[in-house]
Amino acid sequence: MKSELNSIPVFVTVAEAGSFSRAAEKLHLTRSAVTKIIARLEAKLGVALFHRTTRSLSMTDEGTLYHEYCQRALNEICLVEEILNDGKFEVCGRLRVSVPVLFGHLCIAPLLTLFADTHPKLKLEISFSDRAVDLVEEGFDLAIRIGALPDSSSLIARKLSEHRMIYCAAPDYLNRCGEPQTAEELNLHAAVAYIRSRKVQRWQFRDKTGTKKEFIPNAKLMMDDMQAVTNAAVSGAGIAWLPYWLVRELLVDGRLKQIQSITSDDIWPIYAIWPRTPHLPLKVRLAVDKLVSDLPERMAVVEAPTHPLK
């Protein structure tokens, strides 16, 4: 049992390095020593953990399964060491985070990258997907979600910031076509719409009584990528309804102008969620603290220049 336990870090290093030679360098061992350790482990388990050729090394299905459980075991060891350190904590292990694609790229990944830079023993893995992943089933430590959350007794949530939408267009377009003063006038303008699952996203606004209303924009240009919608709006293709965090810098540098007379005034919360556990891992707690501290600044409304229409 002792030799098997000692071989786990060697196996994990080989699996992640993809080469006996590179693993040997990292472990400060000879290549033959690493090869013998893996061979003894395979003999004890009674299965082949790697496919070996003269040019490549890859894990078998059994190796992939064994690697998953070994990584969990090493993470658990790291966690218990944190607990036993009596306050002298060091963040280590792997942190797997699921984030929405575009929001994750622009707002979350830069902050978590800085967080990882300050913790040398932390391995950060970010998955970009607009799908609502199953954290427990898919092995995620943390996920970022926008909007209302379904009830769940197996998850914990913490609010990070808020997400809002605005109507905007390029100053050149507004100079050519005029700026709409009411929501009804929006349908008289060219619209750049976002589509998802082959359906056009409805635009929302509040009328003079404060009642929320929505409609399908009369769009000539429709795209299933929010960044592409933004790029089209910047090029002067028409009016778009976009997340403020996505166009914030474009408003500041004048490439887009917010249509102030039409607002949706709807705010959606942004949450960090993680699996309920008896002890919250330090890496998760500090990562969430980092997002709570720094994300609101990236979402804050800033003063945009005035662009008088000609």
Side-chain angles (χ1 to χ4, degrees), residues 185-200:
E185 291 182 19
L186 282 175
N187 269 333
L188 302 177
H189 282 262
V192 186
Y194 174 68
I195 54 176
R196 187 171 185 179
S197 301
R198 302 183 66 181
K199 293 183 179 180
V200 176

Side-chain angles (χ1 to χ4, degrees), residues 2 20 47 50 54 62 106 123 181 187 299 302:
K2 182 177 179 181
F20 285 122
V47 296
F50 294 98
T54 56
E62 292 82 3
L106 294 179
K123 293 184 178 181
Q181 299 302 308
N187 269 333
M299 310 295 290
V302 294

Side-chain angles (χ1 to χ4, degrees), residues 140-152:
F140 284 100
D141 301 295
L142 186 66
I144 307 301
R145 301 270 172 84
I146 298 175
L149 299 174
D151 291 335
S152 174

Side-chain angles (χ1 to χ4, degrees), residues 49-226:
L49 298 174
F50 294 98
H51 294 298
R52 300 166 173 84
T53 70
T54 56
R55 295 187 175 182
S56 66
L57 181 73
S58 62
M59 282 190 288
T60 62
D61 290 343
E62 292 82 3
T64 300
L65 179 64
Y66 192 62
H67 176 260
E68 178 183 341
Y69 278 87
C70 286
Q71 190 62 61
R72 288 184 189 176
L74 292 175
N75 286 341
E76 288 297 316
I77 292 171
C78 182
L79 173 60
V80 75
E81 288 177 350
E82 291 176 358
I83 297 173
L84 296 177
N85 266 333
D86 191 27
K88 299 177 181 178
F89 295 140
E90 185 174 19
V91 176
C92 63
R94 188 183 303 274
L95 178 65
R96 297 193 70 224
V97 187
S98 172
V99 299
V101 177
L102 193 51
F103 182 69
H105 276 295
L106 294 179
C107 300
I108 301 298
L111 297 179
L112 290 183
T113 300
L114 290 173
F115 172 72
D117 286 344
T118 62
H119 299 284
K121 293 187 177 181
L122 179 72
K123 293 184 178 181
L124 176 63
E125 180 182 328
I126 303 179
S127 174
F128 297 88
S129 173
D130 291 327
R131 177 177 60 89
V133 301
D134 185 320
L135 273 72
V136 177
E137 186 70 23
E138 300 180 48
F140 284 100
D141 301 295
L142 186 66
I144 307 301
R145 301 270 172 84
I146 298 175
L149 299 174
D151 291 335
S152 174
S153 59
S154 63
L155 298 174
I156 301 294
R158 186 175 178 187
K159 185 177 178 181
L160 302 176
S161 188
E162 295 176 336
H163 156 90
R164 67 186 71 227
M165 303 283 288
I166 66 165
Y167 290 99
C168 57
D172 176 65
Y173 172 83
L174 297 176
N175 279 324
R176 287 187 285 111
C177 304
E179 182 172 344
Q181 299 302 308
T182 65
E184 289 74 16
E185 291 182 19
L186 282 175
N187 269 333
L188 302 177
H189 282 262
V192 186
Y194 174 68
I195 54 176
R196 187 171 185 179
S197 301
R198 302 183 66 181
K199 293 183 179 180
V200 176
Q201 180 187 40
R202 290 176 172 269
W203 285 6
Q204 299 176 5
F205 69 96
R206 291 194 179 271
D207 62 18
K208 294 179 180 179
T209 66
T211 304
K212 184 171 81 171
K213 295 185 176 181
E214 59 181 37
F215 66 98
I216 298 176
N218 183 23
K220 180 180 179 181
L221 195 55
M222 295 161 283
M223 302 177 178
D224 65 357
D225 181 88
M226 198 71 78

